[in-house]
Amino acid sequence: IGGGILIAIAFLLDDPSIDYSNFGTNTPVAAWFKNIGNTAFNFMLPILAGYIAMAIADRPGLMVGFVGGALAASPAGGAVSAGFLGALIAGFAAGYLMLGMRKLCDKLPRSLEGLKPILIYPVVGLLIIGLFMCLVNPIVGAINNALYSGLEAMGTSSKIILGIVLAGMMAIDMGGP
């Protein structure tokens, strides 16, 4: 919310007559507000996924969820971004993955107890969530692209249906549409 408000302030303080294609960053003050707002927005998906994972698996899930959410936001290799839906999936996947790993690691000898939170959970968890997101990102990214393309195709021809669809989307996720 804070990031969105700062971006709105950037648009309020900017001068579109300077360069409309860079609206929000034409003046130094507007660029400053927009930079802070964009930075806050970039944290949204990793934090969402991280805390979903932490709610499921406690502390071992937090870092794996953060990384899964970051991969959903901007996957490596130029693949399609999975966005909000991908971060939700990453959070649940990381949480249940780490919950399963904790149960599996309970069978390890007591002498390896200290290695679990420092070495085993992070390394194995990161590898698995990284592979998982490589599989999930293209699928969820294609769903996101289809959704956006469908909304753009509606254009001005069916404003009432477009309004109903957007209202439904806003009711589910205030930040999505």
Side-chain angles (χ1 to χ4, degrees):
I1 293 172
I5 290 173
L6 290 181
I7 291 172
I9 290 172
F11 290 144
L12 180 70
L13 297 176
D14 204 8
D15 184 4
S17 65
I18 296 172
D19 181 9
Y20 190 75
S21 63
N22 290 323
F23 187 54
T25 59
N26 288 325
T27 63
V29 173
W32 184 77
F33 275 103
K34 188 153 191 237
N35 183 37
I36 295 171
N38 283 341
T39 301
F41 259 44
N42 290 338
F43 282 112
M44 184 176 72
L45 297 181
I47 288 174
L48 171 73
Y51 281 102
I52 288 172
M54 186 176 173
I56 296 169
D58 207 22
R59 285 186 293 157
L62 182 63
M63 185 270 305
V64 177
F66 277 153
V67 173
L71 289 173
S74 59
V80 179
S81 171
F84 183 81
L85 295 174
L88 281 174
I89 293 169
F92 282 104
Y96 287 114
L97 165 72
M98 296 312 291
L99 197 62
M101 282 186 58
R102 286 175 68 184
K103 288 182 181 180
L104 283 174
C105 287
D106 284 344
K107 298 174 182 171
L108 290 175
R110 186 146 173 83
S111 61
L112 297 176
E113 192 71 28
L115 288 179
K116 289 192 297 189
I118 296 170
L119 184 65
I120 297 171
Y121 293 156
V123 173
V124 175
L126 282 178
L127 287 173
I128 294 173
I129 200 70
L131 289 171
F132 178 77
M133 292 310 292
C134 284
L135 297 173
V136 167
N137 276 346
I139 297 166
V140 177
I143 292 170
N144 282 339
N145 285 342
L147 182 64
Y148 295 141
S149 298
L151 290 173
E152 283 180 353
M154 292 175 92
T156 59
S157 63
S158 54
K159 291 181 182 180
I160 294 174
I161 295 173
L162 180 63
I164 290 169
V165 170
L166 287 175
M169 291 171 69
M170 292 295 287
I172 294 169
D173 168 31
M174 282 297 290

